[in-house]
């Protein structure tokens, strides 16, 4: 494999790991923003859990004005819920589709986001080590041309 190809692969791996890190940071920032929005103008209700998947829970609740809401994006922080449950929720009065399970907050996003970052950099580090081995010894160093065999003192233009 040429040095140019190895360099491109290394850069691609690092860029992908950085992209995953940025997405994880944005995930946590979005959760914090949602919590702040709910906290600014908070309403409380009891909701029925209609269905649950590992990352989504459909709910339905009635606001004090008698309107039934079933947020399209489900409830925030749905871990541990099961269909048929009745739960307390906190929602934004300005946007009743923005709902979280009462007592839960953005802190719950830290573990999955952190795990994702650790996994991404672990895989990236492993791949970079494999590329280092494939490249062979000394492939990362540039030769100056002034060794025991002499030379011009110019750097190799690779």
């Amino acid at each position: 494999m040429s040095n140019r190809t190895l360099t491109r692969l290394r850069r691609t791996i690092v860029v992908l790991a950085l992209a995953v890190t940025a997405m994880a940071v944005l995930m946590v920032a979005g959760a914090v923003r949602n919590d702040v929005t709910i906290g600014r103008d908070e309403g409380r209700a009891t909701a029925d859990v209609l269905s649950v998947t590992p990352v989504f829970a459909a709910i339905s609740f009635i606001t004090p004005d008698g309107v039934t809401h079933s947020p399209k994006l489900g409830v925030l922080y749905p871990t541990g819920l099961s269909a048929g449950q009745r739960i307390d929720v906190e929602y934004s009065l300005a946007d009743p589709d923005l709902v979280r399970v009462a007592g839960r907050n953005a802190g719950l996003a830290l573990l999955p986001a952190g795990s994702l970052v650790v996994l991404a950099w672990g895989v990236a580090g492993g791949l970079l080590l494999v590329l280092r081995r494939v490249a062979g010894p000394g492939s990362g160093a540039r030769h100056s041309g002034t060794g025991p065999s002499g030379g011009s003192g110019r750097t190799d233009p690779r």
Side-chain angles (χ1 to χ4, degrees):
M1 207 177 288
S2 74
N3 280 344
R4 176 177 270 169
T5 302
L6 286 170
T7 299
R8 285 183 179 163
L9 279 173
R10 287 182 187 117
R11 286 181 181 161
T12 300
I13 290 167
V14 170
V15 166
L16 288 173
L18 287 170
V20 169
T21 301
M23 287 188 301
V25 168
L26 289 173
M27 181 176 76
V28 172
V32 168
R33 181 186 57 91
N34 287 338
D35 282 355
V36 168
T37 301
I38 291 170
R40 252 191 238 132
D41 198 16
E42 184 178 302
R44 293 177 175 263
T46 300
D48 294 311
V49 179
L50 306 174
S51 66
V52 178
T53 69
V55 294
F56 177 82
I59 64 164
S60 177
F61 65 97
I62 300 172
T63 55
D65 60 0
V67 177
T68 300
H69 293 274
S70 188
K72 291 178 185 175
L73 298 177
V75 65
L76 300 172
Y77 322 120
T79 306
L81 299 181
S82 56
Q85 237 181 329
R86 289 184 61 83
I87 58 170
D88 291 328
V89 294
E90 301 162 345
Y91 63 94
S92 168
L93 291 172
D95 179 10
D97 282 345
L98 186 56
V99 186
R100 68 179 173 211
V101 175
R104 297 184 184 180
N105 60 37
L108 294 173
L110 292 174
L111 182 61
S115 299
L116 189 60
V117 169
V118 168
L119 178 65
W121 284 102
V123 169
L127 290 172
L128 291 171
L129 285 174
V130 167
L131 287 177
R132 177 181 279 176
R133 287 200 176 124
V134 166
S139 67
R142 296 192 179 234
H143 302 287
S144 66
T146 58
S149 63
S152 66
R154 287 184 282 158
T155 303
D156 186 3
R158 276 190 262 174

